[in-house]
Amino acid sequence: MTLTHTPAPTNTPLNRLFAPTSIAVVGASASPGKLGSVMLDAINRGSDGTVTAYGINPKGAGDGFHVSLAAATEAHGAPIDLAVLCIPAAATPAALREAADCGVGAALICSGGFAEAGPDGIALQNQLADITAETGIRLLGPNTSGFFRPGNTTVSFVPTVEHINRGTVAVVAASGGMNHALSFLLSEQGVGVGLGVGLGNSVDVTSVDVLEYLSEDPTVTAIALHVESVDDGQALLAAVRKVTAEKPIVAIVVGRSDVSAFSESHTGALATSWKTTRALLAEAGAVVVDSERQLVDALAVLSRTRLPAAPAPGIGLVTAQAGPGLMILDELLAQDVQVPTLTGSTQAGLSELLPPLTFQANPVDTGRPGTTFGNVLATTAADPGIDALAVYALAEPDAIDLAAAVRESEVHTDVPVVLGIGGPAEAVGKTFASAAEIGVPVLPSPTALATGISALVHDARSRFLRAADPRPTATVTAPALSLPVDEAAAKDLLDALGIATPQRRVCADRAAAHQALTELTLPVAVKILDATVVHKTEIGGVHLGIRTAEDLDLALDALDAIGAPAYLVETMATSGVDLFLGARRDPVFGPIVVAGLGGTAAEAIGDVAIRSHHLTHAAAAAMLDDLQCAPLLDGWRGGPVLNRDEFAHLAVTVAGYLAAHPEISDIEINPLRLTPTGLTALDAVILPAPNRPTALEGELQ
């Protein structure tokens, strides 16, 4: 595939930053090795001839240098697009103000010494923020190595940028160092980079701004997103949703070991910032990976091809060697990728092309590849259950040319095809080049091929779930809430929301508790009823299996000993699988939904799925499939089977209620027991948000 230069988007707020025709480097000098000199040299060497560069130095330094931005602007005859500030932090606010006064459209600050350096640096960074807000000048950084468009414009002081090949992937990285690291890896893989951006401290230009800019950039087919922290989670998710409707995003999130401050509820303890960010980016449409190697493999595929939105695309796996095929299959199945058995007619067709001892049901094992290989690909791809092909072979130039087999069979015009090939560089280089000419991605190992195919499938599945009918919940009249509420009042709310709870009695004294024992189906649970107690079991506030008056008195004695102001007596549910469903107001992303294996060990197990309050009914129905414990919900060893639609209704309802009521910070149902008759909320907690109203009455939307 030959790349031709296509202009960057025009008439966008960031065009003067990322597609400048004039650049001034403030702090440039004729002395080699200094940051300003290195940057000016990089701009001059990395330009395709469409950029005019000026050095700004109060002492002047010869041709191309000016004593001020004002002088350079006069010489240029028009306002300069971009000012690159390579000066000490303390001098930067004044230089930024001067740039704005001269009509400069954007600025890039390379120097550090701002928020990352402590109180004095924070004060300097706040000055930069004030200037951008007042003047409208766009600012990348500070504390960034810059950006680059290989083959067009280089505004980076890293000298080896010139070795990055031009391509169609954009890199948006929190760190300038990671921008370069990922871009080098992409280039080595033969993918290439269209735009690489290191955000630095993101005083003004954020990942959201760059994603929105890239959504309009015709030179970019896919985006690598590197995330370290998120300030405005809802804006980021909205940008990801917008972009991924048109082009794929592959994201890597730093912070696996970061644990958010412990919340009173299980929901807060389970939804760490790293887990939440990854889950919500995936829900919004990004393909989330664990390593930079996976990111490159995913983008090698998604930058060249994309599946239509579908709930479960089927993959046909054709391999010339059984061992690598088994490794690919194992990884695909672990990633919940469907590798369906081929139809009888497809297998019959393959049997005429392949030796009789090879496996032909999918994966299709060809043995040593031969002249029929292209026909094998076409026959497999024609199966009605196959939406894309994964093909792997070791390099055997005397036996098969993989790219030629794809091209001559024209199978890539019917379904996406991803090739994997193993061998030394001199043996596989021709395949990589030939496949690129027809837009077919090639990956260098079995695991890499599985990663690329998984990315292809997850991208298609995510778009399908986002497009599904959201099925809004019906309007329900809610009881009045006077926050904080105890378990009984919380369950009254769940009843109003259409969520099943056990029969129960609120008992102000022992006589009422004994009366309840005669009215409810036995056995019963007896609990402390106190809105200030969240984790009742930890203080001995729950007693189960109560059948007799004597059992009840012993339980009440224990509750009195811990100062129970009242008792809750309720019928015990039948045995089943205990789940957890919570909604909380995340400080970065707003209302989120968390679900997983429940009970008292929920935090220790940590097997959770997380979604935003925007989740559709279809997405809610599928979210528990993320869990390692998912097989327990499908009738494991004769157990109950979860009705996914019932769970989806609960999740969407709870999420919608929390989103509509800012006076509540958390709604938690734990356990939410799956029984043969459906889901029942055995315990419920509602926590007030800070500075909340004291009461609530209204309707649920």
Side-chain angles (χ1 to χ4, degrees):
M1 180 173 61
T2 302
L3 289 172
T4 57
H5 176 66
T6 302
T10 57
N11 300 320
T12 73
L14 295 185
N15 214 46
R16 295 181 73 185
L17 171 62
F18 292 131
T21 59
S22 54
I23 303 175
V25 180
V26 179
S29 73
S31 301
K34 289 189 176 182
L35 179 60
S37 301
V38 171
M39 182 65 83
L40 183 60
D41 183 56
I43 293 169
N44 284 323
R45 285 187 295 108
S47 170
D48 62 359
T50 62
V51 176
T52 303
Y54 301 94
I56 308 300
N57 190 305
K59 299 178 181 179
D63 291 344
F65 283 81
H66 297 273
V67 297
S68 67
L69 272 170
T73 301
E74 183 177 355
H76 186 62
I80 289 171
D81 286 329
L82 174 63
V84 181
L85 308 185
C86 300
I87 54 179
T92 301
L96 181 64
R97 175 74 68 176
E98 180 186 2
D101 291 343
C102 290
V104 173
L108 187 158
I109 299 177
C110 298
S111 55
F114 293 91
E116 78 282 0
D120 291 342
I122 292 173
L124 285 173
Q125 185 160 308
N126 288 340
Q127 291 182 47
L128 300 179
D130 291 341
I131 293 168
T132 60
E134 292 170 12
T135 66
I137 189 172
R138 300 313 306 263
L139 172 62
L140 182 63
N143 193 25
T144 177
S145 51
F147 71 90
F148 43 82
R149 287 186 180 275
N152 178 233
T153 307
T154 295
V155 188
S156 167
F157 56 72
V158 178
T160 49
V161 164
E162 63 190 59
H163 299 292
I164 296 174
N165 294 323
R166 187 169 72 194
T168 62
V169 171
V171 178
V172 183
S175 151
M178 282 305 299
N179 172 36
H180 289 78
L182 294 175
S183 295
F184 286 128
L185 287 172
L186 287 163
S187 184
E188 290 169 9
Q189 181 63 35
V191 179
V193 176
L195 174 65
V197 180
L199 295 168
N201 292 11
S202 295
V203 164
D204 174 46
V205 174
T206 67
S207 58
V208 172
D209 297 306
V210 182
L211 288 175
E212 291 178 345
Y213 174 80
L214 292 172
S215 70
E216 306 297 329
D217 190 337
T219 69
V220 170
T221 61
I223 299 167
L225 177 63
H226 165 260
V227 179
E228 288 181 350
S229 62
V230 180
D231 291 326
D232 188 341
Q234 296 197 58
L236 176 60
L237 298 180
V240 170
R241 284 191 292 268
K242 174 184 176 182
V243 173
T244 54
E246 301 297 332
K247 56 186 74 174
I249 294 175
V250 180
I252 185 168
V253 181
V254 180
R256 185 189 305 267
S257 300
D258 175 36
V259 178
S260 60
F262 182 79
S263 168
E264 286 187 284
S265 70
H266 290 293
T267 314
L270 288 167
T272 66
S273 60
W274 181 76
K275 284 183 179 179
T276 299
T277 303
R278 283 170 56 92
L280 298 189
L281 283 173
E283 180 193 11
V287 174
V288 180
V289 296
D290 295 327
S291 70
E292 67 274 21
R293 184 70 256 173
Q294 290 181 348
L295 179 140
V296 170
D297 294 338
L299 285 166
V301 176
L302 288 172
S303 64
R304 290 187 170 99
T305 189
R306 205 177 192 193
L307 279 167
I315 301 300
L317 173 56
V318 179
T319 177
Q321 290 83 30
L326 285 172
M327 178 169 284
I328 297 165
L329 176 65
D330 187 44
E331 185 63 27
L332 290 178
L333 296 179
Q335 295 297 322
D336 196 29
V337 174
Q338 302 297 309
V339 185
T341 300
L342 301 176
T343 64
S345 60
T346 300
Q347 293 186 52
L350 291 171
S351 69
E352 298 177 1
L353 301 170
L354 295 172
L357 296 181
T358 59
F359 190 82
Q360 300 168 12
N362 200 16
V364 177
D365 178 15
T366 68
R368 191 164 190 258
T371 57
T372 64
F373 198 82
N375 292 332
V376 170
L377 298 182
T379 301
T380 305
D383 187 277
I386 299 304
D387 299 293
L389 281 186
V391 184
Y392 184 85
L394 296 175
E396 296 186 74
D398 59 330
I400 184 70
D401 181 335
L402 280 182
V406 172
R407 182 177 60 251
E408 292 166 8
S409 67
E410 298 185 342
V411 65
H412 63 296
T413 63
D414 298 322
V415 299
V417 178
V418 183
L419 301 180
I421 187 167
E426 56 271 19
V428 303
K430 180 181 176 182
T431 299
F432 273 78
S434 298
E437 291 178 357
I438 57 174
V440 172
V442 185
L443 292 162
S445 72
T447 301
L449 177 58
T451 298
I453 287 291
S454 296
L456 192 68
V457 169
H458 291 156
D459 172 67
R461 183 183 298 159
S462 175
R463 281 180 285 123
F464 172 82
L465 290 175
R466 295 203 314 280
D469 179 7
R471 301 192 207 177
T473 56
T475 300
V476 180
T477 301
L481 290 180
S482 180
L483 297 168
V485 297
D486 58 29
E487 179 182 346
K491 285 180 173 175
D492 288 342
L493 175 62
L494 297 186
D495 289 337
L497 293 171
I499 300 172
T501 62
Q503 287 186 317
R504 60 189 173 275
R505 298 289 187 273
V506 174
C507 304
D509 53 35
R510 297 174 75 101
H514 277 278
Q515 179 65 30
L517 188 66
T518 67
E519 297 172 350
L520 297 172
T521 302
L522 301 179
V524 298
V526 181
K527 308 178 185 180
I528 183 174
L529 195 59
D530 187 337
T532 66
V533 177
V534 177
H535 300 305
K536 295 180 283 294
T537 56
E538 295 177 6
I539 63 168
V542 179
H543 297 265
L544 306 176
I546 306 300
R547 293 180 177 274
T548 67
E550 291 76 13
D551 292 339
L552 178 59
D553 281 327
L554 290 174
L556 296 177
D557 288 343
L559 294 179
D560 288 344
I562 60 173
Y567 319 112
L568 181 65
V569 181
E570 65 181 12
T571 296
M572 291 185 63
T574 57
S575 61
V577 179
D578 283 346
L579 298 173
F580 161 89
L581 174 63
R584 78 182 309 253
R585 204 168 296 282
D586 186 87
V588 174
F589 293 100
I592 63 171
V593 182
V594 185
L597 199 63
T600 57
E603 291 166 23
I605 297 170
D607 187 15
V608 296
I610 304 172
R611 299 290 187 271
S612 74
H613 73 280
H614 295 292
L615 82 169
T616 64
H617 185 96
M623 72 181 289
L624 294 184
D625 294 336
D626 291 357
L627 303 177
Q628 294 180 2
C629 72
L632 294 176
L633 310 178
D634 296 319
W636 177 260
R637 294 189 174 181
V641 177
L642 177 67
N643 182 323
R644 294 305 207 269
D645 280 338
E646 181 187 7
F647 173 81
H649 172 73
L650 268 63
V652 170
T653 298
V654 170
Y657 181 76
L658 181 74
H661 295 278
E663 68 280 354
I664 296 175
S665 69
D666 291 69
I667 301 174
E668 179 180 294
I669 305 171
N670 183 29
L672 175 65
R673 180 164 295 176
L674 171 61
T675 72
T677 59
L679 293 166
T680 302
L682 302 189
D683 196 1
V685 172
I686 297 177
L687 297 179
N691 304 317
R692 68 196 186 279
T694 57
L696 165 70
E697 294 184 10
E699 290 189 340
L700 313 183
Q701 301 299 320

